[in-house]
Amino acid sequence: MTTAVHGSSVDIPTPDGTADAYLVHPADGGPHPAVLLYMDGFGLRPHLKSMADRLAAAGYVVLVPNVFYRYSKAPVAELPEFIDLAERPDVIASIRPAAQTLTPERAMRDAAVYLDWLAASPLTTEGPAGVTGYCMGAGLALRTAGTYPDRVAAAGGFHGAFLATDAPDSPHLLADRITAELYFGHADQDTANPADQIDRLDKALSAAGVHHRGEIYPGAQHGYTQADTSMYSEEAAERHWAALLDLFGRRL
């Protein structure tokens, strides 16, 4: 069952400035469980808002922050209506300066602000939130679950990038702090998340006793949920929706 939703732009004060964000919730006025949705590298744009709308229609209050707000308000770069990196390789270069403004420390300082903001909203129910993230946002979701374990009940990550690297601050190293249930939908055609990193993530979460499931989406490319890109797969995207709504339906 879906419901009518109401979306609006909001500004969220942070220690480092003002984060612009998109907030959408069921039009009945709530309260409903809170969800923090982390963007992919292409940022806050119409397609991500439509994804948030679909999640809100399932009964959630969804906040989508522009995590690159230190660089500029969204959009942080001029994007084509349809993103095909084979035709427009310059798109990645155009967003790189914005991405460089976000460090793990800054991202987690912001995460506390976003979670506080959602918790204080009259639209949300009490209790921990759900988090979902795409591409770089999957790493932010994993990091948020590990940094604020008492505040996150469920987290999903889809076509995640660099989730379990050799870096000393790799997100998977927070596994022993996580109490949320996690779900990952890995693209099998993804150089940003190769098989050895998928295995390393799974082993770290299993060793820490984290309730989690990771699935490989065959034939899916990095970015398979993003309908405004050439990487989109309707089949993989719908599989992601089923898994995410199942996770949130059980835990939120």
Side-chain angles (χ1 to χ4, degrees), residues 157-173:
F158 301 91
H159 46 85
F162 313 114
L163 300 176
T165 70
D166 295 326
D169 59 355
S170 175
H172 81 287
L173 297 175

Side-chain angles (χ1 to χ4, degrees), residues 4 16 27 50 55 62 85 94-95 97 118 131 135 146 177 191 195 206 232:
D16 297 336
S50 72
L55 196 48
V62 186
L85 295 180
S94 72
I95 60 178
L118 279 166
V131 184
C135 174
R177 298 192 54 193
T191 56
S206 294
Y232 177 66

Side-chain angles (χ1 to χ4, degrees), residues 3-23:
T3 185
V5 301
H6 176 74
S8 60
S9 297
V10 295
D11 288 329
I12 300 176
T14 82
D16 297 336
T18 300
D20 51 310
Y22 178 67
L23 177 73

Side-chain angles (χ1 to χ4, degrees), residues 120-213:
S121 171
L123 296 168
T124 61
T125 53
E126 291 185 10
V131 184
T132 185
Y134 302 87
C135 174
M136 57 165 273
L140 294 176
L142 177 58
R143 206 178 285 282
T144 301
T147 306
Y148 303 105
D150 56 331
R151 310 196 61 180
V152 178
F158 301 91
H159 46 85
F162 313 114
L163 300 176
T165 70
D166 295 326
D169 59 355
S170 175
H172 81 287
L173 297 175
L174 295 168
D176 61 354
R177 298 192 54 193
I178 294 171
T179 58
E181 181 179 346
L182 306 184
Y183 176 89
F184 294 95
H186 302 294
D188 74 344
Q189 310 285 313
D190 195 345
T191 56
N193 189 34
D196 63 316
Q197 288 194 35
I198 293 172
D199 184 59
R200 184 183 294 149
L201 174 64
D202 181 66
K203 285 178 176 173
L205 294 172
S206 294
V210 177
H211 186 187
H212 73 284
R213 186 156 55 104

